[in-house]
Amino acid sequence: MVSFLQPWALLFLLPVVAVAAGYVYRQHRKRVNAVRFSNVDLLKTLAPKGIGYKRHITAGALLLCLLTLALATARPALAMQVPLERATIVLAIDVSLSMEAKDVQPSRIQAAQDAAISFAREVPAAYNLGVVSFAKSANVLVSPGKDREQVVNAIQSLQLDEATATGEAVFTALDAIRTVPPDGVQGAPPARILLLSDGYRTAGRPVEDAAAAATEANVPVSTIAFGTDDGMVDIGGMPQRVPVDREALAQLAESTGGYFAEAASAGELKQVYEDLGSSVGHRKQTREVTAWAAAAALLFGLTAAGLSLLWGSRLP
């Protein structure tokens, strides 16, 4: 969207329009007067050779120069989406043993790691990004910050463990968000938790308590049910089915103002990550582009002068 910081200056467009109208009128008068000459040979000697339509190109460039100069006096500005410096995303990644299932190739955990690393490298550099892993307990692997390589290294080093403490993952992510420096700004940073899990909670505080805490902190929790209902893992020498608890994950997201998604492949998970990254922590900012308009006016003016010298051996 284009706006003008000095809209009253748009009145300078009126003289430009008047000049354009005068030019059109003069061209029309020339054609009317030319008809009065009956000697065609005489007309050919009076009219410069080789100019023809070219004079209109030169005049058009000059008018564009005047037009952009008039717009520049009104101080044009563009409304842009700018990432917030304190915007924070915490990735909470399930590392329970069920993530070893290979119903998502090459495995749930490997596909999740690949997608999380891609996200970490593509999310705006202005965002703070942190990592929490959870199994029977939750741990902050990387506090929210702008060091992407630290995040990537932490994701690559994830180790599987027993149990699934989904509620603890949310509580730990909230604690991590509170560590973001205020940087002279009052209040908590705009934040999101992105929780990736495939199983039922089997340890730690209830998910309902975690949802209440996230709602109170105004931190939406978006959840991804990762895997399929056909997942199998070998635990203690015994094959066990590890279906996804979609209902609990969807309820957690809905109750906190986040969104729920399913990802049965690395590609789908990556798309969910990208959608989240584009929706967190932006604000509208108006940036003045007067210099751009002035540069365009200079370009049009130079074009008009150059063409006029080339075709008519004089300046317009």
Side-chain angles (χ1 to χ4, degrees):
M1 295 293 294
V2 179
S3 60
F4 297 93
L5 302 182
Q6 292 181 172
W8 60 265
L10 291 174
L11 292 173
F12 288 121
L13 290 173
L14 295 179
V16 179
V17 174
V19 170
Y23 177 79
V24 173
Y25 174 76
R26 288 291 297 169
Q27 298 307 307
H28 174 70
R29 292 298 301 170
K30 284 182 180 180
R31 286 194 294 270
V32 171
N33 292 333
V35 175
R36 298 176 183 175
F37 288 91
S38 59
N39 192 329
V40 177
D41 293 332
L42 179 59
L43 279 177
K44 292 181 179 179
T45 62
L46 293 176
K49 294 182 178 180
I51 296 180
Y53 71 91
K54 295 179 181 178
R55 68 180 184 273
H56 300 308
I57 297 177
T58 302
L62 179 60
L63 287 172
L64 285 174
C65 173
L66 296 175
L67 175 66
T68 50
L69 279 175
L71 291 174
T73 61
R75 299 177 59 191
L78 293 177
M80 301 179 178
Q81 290 282 355
V82 181
L84 291 173
E85 293 293 330
R86 299 180 69 229
T88 301
I89 301 175
V90 175
L91 301 176
I93 303 176
D94 186 349
V95 292
S96 59
L97 294 178
S98 58
M99 290 291 285
E100 196 173 17
K102 292 180 171 53
D103 53 338
V104 176
Q105 296 298 320
S107 68
R108 293 180 181 180
I109 187 61
Q110 184 62 56
Q113 286 174 306
D114 292 344
I117 289 171
S118 295
F119 172 73
R121 288 176 171 158
E122 294 173 8
V123 74
Y127 289 178
N128 294 307
L129 187 61
V131 180
V132 168
S133 67
F134 66 99
K136 59 186 175 185
S137 62
N139 300 287
V140 178
L141 301 183
V142 179
S143 296
K146 296 179 172 58
D147 188 339
R148 298 296 187 255
E149 287 308 309
Q150 188 178 9
V151 169
V152 169
N153 292 336
I155 295 172
Q156 290 175 333
S157 63
L158 291 174
Q159 299 293 323
L160 300 183
D161 203 350
E162 296 179 350
T164 305
T166 310
E168 295 300 329
V170 175
F171 280 112
T172 302
L174 291 173
D175 290 339
I177 291 169
R178 295 187 186 99
T179 67
V180 175
D183 291 334
V185 180
Q186 295 293 329
R192 299 287 189 276
I193 297 172
L194 179 58
L195 186 142
L196 169 64
S197 182
D198 69 344
Y200 294 80
R201 182 191 70 86
T202 60
R205 285 171 282 184
V207 175
E208 292 77 12
D209 293 351
T215 301
E216 183 178 358
N218 194 29
V219 178
V221 181
S222 292
T223 59
I224 301 174
F226 192 62
T228 69
D229 291 333
D230 299 323
M232 297 286 293
V233 293
D234 192 329
I235 300 178
M238 297 289 294
Q240 294 189 22
R241 292 184 65 252
V242 283
V244 179
D245 187 4
R246 296 180 180 83
E247 183 177 350
L249 293 174
Q251 180 60 37
L252 173 58
E254 181 180 353
S255 62
T256 61
Y259 68 86
F260 167 75
E262 294 186 55
S265 70
E268 292 173 3
L269 179 60
K270 183 174 182 291
Q271 184 60 52
V272 172
Y273 277 140
E274 290 173 350
D275 291 343
L276 181 72
S278 65
S279 66
V280 179
H282 283 82
R283 61 185 172 87
K284 284 187 177 180
Q285 184 180 79
T286 301
R287 291 185 177 177
E288 187 174 350
V289 292
T290 301
W292 295 2
L298 178 61
L299 178 61
F300 289 132
L302 291 174
T303 300
L307 293 179
S308 183
L309 287 172
L310 177 64
W311 293 333
S313 300
R314 59 186 177 85
L315 290 173

